[in-house]
Amino acid sequence: VGMHVLTRATPHPVAMSSGCETPSHRVFVYGTLKRGFYNHRLLREMDAKFSGFALTREPMRMVLGEYGIPYLMRGEADGSAFVPGELWEVDDEGLDALDVLEGIDEGMYERVTLDVATREGADGAVDGGFATTAQAFVCGPESERRGIGTTWSEEIAAYDLKTHEASYVPKHERAAGSLGTRRS
C-alpha cells in the first residue's frame, strides 16, 4: 500500500505557498471526522477547507473496533476495497490537533502519507479525478496490540452514518483507560 509513516506536522509540498500564507496539509478522513459525523466539529472549529471526495488508490481493509471506532489497517488483505472519504486542508496547528484527537502519542492511530484519488461526489467513481497524496490516520501499534484488526473486529466497506449512529461511543463516554480517553 502506498503509505509513509510521519511523526509530526510536515507541510504537503504541493500545498505550500511561496508567499506569506500558512502552510497547509491535505488530510484524508474516512470516519468520525467526515461531514455529519461526531468529530467533524473539530474540522469546523479549525476552519479546515473541504477539498473534495476521494478514495484510497490501493485497496485497504477497514474495520470497526471497540466503541464503534473505524480503523484503516495496513497492508492488503482478502476482502479489502478502495476506501471512500473526504479531503480537507488544515494548517500546522490543525494537523497537530488531529494528532491529539487520533491518539498518535499513545499509539491509537499512526499518521501516514497515503495515495488517494479524487472523485466526483460522495458516491461517485474515480473517473475524471486525479491522483494525489494526503495525510491519513491508520491503526496504530497500541490498537493492534489490543486486537484491532483481528477476528473480533468487524470488517466494513465504508463508515456511513447508519454504522456511526448505531455503534460510535464518544471519548467522554468510554471506560477509563481505553484508547483515546484522557488520562487523569
Side-chain angles (χ1 to χ4, degrees):
V1 175
M3 69 174 94
H4 305 50
V5 177
L6 300 173
T7 53
R8 272 291 167 216
T10 11
H12 188 279
V14 174
M16 290 210 42
S17 165
S18 58
C20 298
E21 295 176 26
T22 305
S24 68
H25 308 271
R26 187 176 293 130
V27 179
F28 175 75
V29 300
Y30 57 88
T32 66
L33 284 163
K34 293 189 302 185
R35 292 181 295 177
F37 292 76
Y38 186 83
N39 288 318
H40 180 70
R41 61 185 161 61
L42 182 61
L43 289 172
R44 277 195 323 267
E45 289 165 5
M46 68 176 69
D47 291 323
K49 306 281 186 280
F50 178 70
S51 296
F53 297 99
L55 290 170
T56 58
R57 289 189 56 212
E58 300 289 333
M60 295 184 78
R61 192 163 65 100
M62 184 167 29
V63 300
L64 203 55
E66 186 178 26
Y67 301 112
I69 301 167
Y71 292 87
L72 276 183
M73 303 304 297
R74 295 174 178 274
E76 296 182 34
D78 291 339
S80 59
F82 300 100
V83 176
E86 298 174 352
L87 289 176
W88 290 84
E89 298 286 336
V90 301
D91 61 15
D92 289 347
E93 186 177 311
L95 191 59
D96 286 342
L98 292 175
D99 284 349
V100 170
L101 173 77
E102 303 292 15
I104 295 298
D105 290 342
E106 63 189 27
M108 182 175 180
Y109 285 91
E110 191 165 25
R111 182 164 44 88
V112 300
T113 299
L114 193 63
D115 295 323
V116 297
T118 62
R119 60 191 196 150
E120 291 302 313
D123 299 318
V126 176
D127 295 342
F130 65 92
T132 188
T133 59
Q135 307 295 297
F137 296 89
V138 299
C139 187
E142 182 59 21
S143 293
E144 287 178 354
R145 189 187 73 70
R146 294 185 183 203
I148 299 297
T150 60
T151 54
W152 69 264
S153 298
E154 178 186 354
E155 192 161 324
I156 57 176
Y159 190 72
D160 57 25
L161 275 173
K162 181 179 177 185
T163 301
H164 181 72
E165 290 167 355
S167 59
Y168 183 71
V169 177
K171 287 182 179 188
H172 67 275
E173 296 178 16
R174 298 179 197 160
S178 64
L179 284 177
T181 57
R182 295 191 192 277
R183 294 187 180 100
S184 303

